[in-house]
Amino acid sequence: MKKIIFFTLVLSLNAKQIHAQELVDPETSSSREWHMACAVSEYGNGKLALPMMSYASGPNLSHDVTSTASLALEAIYSGEYAWGFNIGLALDSKRQILNANDINPDFKGADGNSEISISSIYVNRIYRWQNLYLPFGLNLAQVTINKPSTALQQISNFPGLQASLGYFLGRHFAIEAGLRLIGIQAVFNAGNTSATRTGFLAEQFVSAKLYF
């Protein structure tokens, strides 16, 4: 009789374990997976802080930069309640550097209308809860300033940072809001004088991402 009761309890426990495994939804499992994503972002009016040739730094050398749209393609490795990462390529549309004539003559073009173009690669470390996730990491941008003065000779790549907060509205759709800092290193020449200046472009952004 005791043996029959013992085997009955064992079979009951095994049945409960099998039933619990069947109830696990693979779409909400915490296992990490690879995904691709397309992102459309809107970057608000930014601040370009890059000293001109005559100064090493100065609070009056911050330029307003107009807003822009951006497209990105990402590869993501992540899962619920786990660490992951992503890597992506972003292409921004052109935007204008405002007040270049008044603040920094090194950005003054022949018609006084300078533009900035940015393409960047970025890598983020990500922690994801169930729907909420936190990405933060580094970027490296190719920056081009169109129609500058002849003093601005070269723009070089310089590491930047970004951080955001995202939320999954479904398995294949998420939204994000955050801050991006694009590093910029510029070489100025005037006659026999040369100077290298380092600055950054700071901007807020919102993104919509489609995962597949």
Side-chain angles (χ1 to χ4, degrees), residues 30-76:
S30 61
S31 61
R32 291 178 292 181
E33 298 177 333
W34 280 101
H35 295 278
M36 297 295 294
C38 291
V40 178
S41 303
E42 175 69 20
Y43 287 89
N45 294 341
K47 287 288 186 180
L48 175 61
L50 184 63
M52 62 181 177
M53 181 175 174
S54 304
Y55 299 93
S57 62
N60 63 326
L61 300 178
S62 178
H63 307 276
D64 292 324
V65 178
T66 56
S67 60
T68 190
S70 178
L71 295 176
L73 182 64
E74 295 183 359
I76 307 103

Side-chain angles (χ1 to χ4, degrees), residues 28-148:
T28 59
S29 172
S30 61
S31 61
R32 291 178 292 181
E33 298 177 333
W34 280 101
H35 295 278
M36 297 295 294
C38 291
V40 178
S41 303
E42 175 69 20
Y43 287 89
N45 294 341
K47 287 288 186 180
L48 175 61
L50 184 63
M52 62 181 177
M53 181 175 174
S54 304
Y55 299 93
S57 62
N60 63 326
L61 300 178
S62 178
H63 307 276
D64 292 324
V65 178
T66 56
S67 60
T68 190
S70 178
L71 295 176
L73 182 64
E74 295 183 359
I76 307 103
Y77 182 67
S78 69
E80 293 181 5
Y81 302 101
W83 286 98
F85 65 90
N86 72 352
I87 181 169
L89 171 66
L91 301 174
D92 300 0
S93 58
K94 288 183 180 180
R95 54 216 300 201
Q96 288 190 348
I97 301 174
L98 304 178
N99 303 322
N101 299 350
D102 302 328
I103 299 176
N104 193 339
D106 290 333
F107 287 148
K108 181 180 179 180
D111 59 1
N113 188 21
S114 296
E115 294 177 329
I116 185 168
S117 302
I118 297 173
S119 58
S120 61
I121 57 173
Y122 55 90
V123 178
N124 286 315
R125 193 79 163 107
I126 301 173
Y127 186 81
R128 179 178 171 183
W129 291 268
Q130 186 171 12
N131 295 317
L132 192 69
Y133 63 97
L134 177 67
F136 56 93
L138 302 173
N139 63 68
L140 190 63
Q142 177 65 47
V143 178
T144 303
I145 296 179
N146 302 317
K147 304 178 184 177

